[in-house]
Amino acid sequence: TNLPEQPLAGFHEQNDFQEHVWKVVTTHERMASHDDHYRTVAKVYSFALFYDAQGPFVQWLKAELESVINLKVTDTLADVGGGDGEFALALAASAGLPRDRVAVVEPSAAMLHSAAVSPVSSIDSGIDAADEGATASGPHRINLGALEWCDLKRGNVLAGPIVDFSCVLIKEVVHHFVAPRTILFRDLRERRMQAGGKLVIVTRPQQEYDYPFFDAARNIWIENQPSTQELKTELTAAGYKEVEHTMLRYPLSLATEEWCKMIRNRFWSTFSHFNDEELLAGTEEIQQTTKGSDTLQFEERIVVITAKA
């Protein structure tokens, strides 16, 4: 595709039409490469270590984010790239926030509908696979990518019935947004958030991770994962205030073969860049590096960035 010249981050008024064309086309090209990955991973999403809603890690992360987000019953919450919606609904339930005050924005229809067919669910999601919008009790399901959702003018019915949100959560998907993300962050603030609302980005470090990757996967991770400082700079350029971050740490112990199986199942999009043979070779490399140890011990490190709209 012949794209217009890439716009510079932070330039609000410069050639808006060119910016629109560039960001939509490049995002469609990038997200297309993930479609097959997410159709497949939706089938096992809830059972992976990092996404098992009943598991200790997710319960720990939920408790940590509850204190960061501090939802009130009068708030409105949007989970951008929220997958099956389980995590956002769990946060809402803990705060007593009604489900019809929650929106899940997710480009993958398979992920968005998976809560309705999942045999294991920690909460009653209220998501009906036959419903194209929201159930009577919520949440509002919006089958759009982040850029497409933020592109819609304020009040557009396609953006969902909630006009603006007091809190927006972007959990573990910001690396899918095409850089520079300043335009997306600006549109999110201006078109989807209340003045003074809170944006919470949950991601992982670009360099300071502790995962037992194979070498090729390590390179892919660094190439696709934005740094914390890069994200904070883009948020500031997009007009957010009080941009801060913290690092959460959680010790993990996992059977080596289980970790290798998760990688072969492409539980993260990092591994969607490899074919089956490459993943098999990669997991063999991990087993050699760990010298045949049956158990892996490493630290999960989560970066939480908060900003005020």
Side-chain angles (χ1 to χ4, degrees):
T1 303
N2 293 322
L3 299 175
E5 183 180 355
Q6 176 174 318
L8 297 176
F11 283 79
H12 189 153
E13 304 295 338
Q14 182 182 3
N15 199 343
D16 284 342
F17 178 73
Q18 177 174 303
E19 292 183 0
H20 170 81
V21 172
W22 177 83
K23 67 182 179 178
V24 170
V25 172
T26 52
T27 298
H28 281 184
E29 288 182 341
R30 180 164 180 171
M31 289 307 295
S33 70
H34 294 290
D35 282 350
D36 290 339
H37 165 70
Y38 282 110
R39 286 193 201 97
T40 301
V41 81
K43 300 175 184 177
V44 296
Y45 179 74
S46 295
F47 302 101
L49 167 69
F50 299 102
Y51 306 103
D52 179 0
Q54 298 178 348
F57 169 73
V58 174
Q59 292 300 315
W60 165 80
L61 181 58
K62 182 172 93 55
E64 291 285 344
L65 292 182
E66 283 172 355
S67 64
V68 172
I69 298 174
N70 194 24
L71 284 174
K72 305 292 192 297
V73 295
T74 55
D75 280 328
T76 47
L77 170 66
D79 189 357
V80 179
D84 59 14
E86 291 273 335
F87 195 86
L89 286 171
L91 289 173
S94 294
L97 182 67
R99 293 187 298 183
D100 62 1
R101 298 181 71 83
V102 178
V104 180
V105 183
E106 170 57 50
S108 168
M111 290 298 297
L112 196 60
H113 290 294
S114 64
V117 299
S118 174
V120 175
S121 177
S122 62
I123 57 175
D124 175 14
S125 70
I127 298 178
D128 182 348
D131 181 22
E132 292 301 322
T135 65
S137 59
H140 303 287
R141 299 179 309 146
I142 302 169
N143 190 194
L144 292 173
L147 282 171
E148 296 158 313
W149 187 57
C150 292
D151 260 352
L152 298 174
K153 299 297 183 182
R154 182 178 289 269
N156 190 314
V157 294
L158 296 178
I162 302 175
V163 176
D164 50 22
F165 292 86
S166 59
C167 181
V168 173
L169 174 65
I170 301 177
K171 177 177 173 286
E172 302 178 59
V173 295
V174 74
H175 56 284
H176 290 314
F177 302 161
V178 178
R181 288 158 289 266
T182 308
I183 301 161
L184 167 61
F185 291 152
R186 180 201 70 201
D187 289 348
L188 177 63
R189 179 180 61 82
E190 293 181 348
R191 298 177 180 175
R192 297 290 168 262
M193 297 187 69
Q194 297 175 10
K198 179 179 287 187
L199 174 64
V200 179
I201 297 176
V202 181
T203 186
R204 290 179 167 88
Q206 182 189 59
Q207 301 279 355
E208 302 88 1
Y209 61 84
D210 193 35
Y211 306 120
F213 286 156
F214 54 95
D215 283 344
R218 191 173 294 110
N219 294 335
I220 291 292
W221 178 277
I222 293 172
E223 178 182 338
N224 288 278
Q225 183 70 27
S227 71
T228 301
Q229 188 55 53
E230 182 181 359
L231 291 170
K232 292 177 70 176
T233 298
E234 291 172 345
L235 288 167
T236 301
Y240 290 84
K241 302 185 183 305
E242 300 177 21
V243 181
E244 301 173 350
H245 84 278
T246 188
M247 177 90 77
L248 306 177
R249 300 171 185 270
Y250 186 87
L252 287 171
S253 180
L254 183 67
T256 304
E257 180 50 37
E258 182 63 22
W259 175 253
C260 291
K261 181 180 178 181
M262 289 167 62
I263 289 175
R264 291 193 295 269
N265 284 335
R266 299 176 175 88
F267 78 103
W268 279 339
S269 59
T270 297
F271 306 111
S272 67
H273 294 262
F274 303 97
N275 62 34
D276 291 347
E277 292 75 18
E278 290 168 334
L279 288 178
L280 179 59
T283 54
E284 289 174 350
E285 177 185 321
I286 291 172
Q287 290 169 331
Q288 291 172 0
T289 302
T290 58
K291 299 180 180 178
S293 174
D294 292 335
T295 304
L296 295 172
Q297 293 185 351
F298 56 97
E299 192 175 65
E300 168 66 304
R301 297 169 186 171
I302 298 290
V303 176
V304 180
I305 302 173
T306 57
K308 183 177 180 180

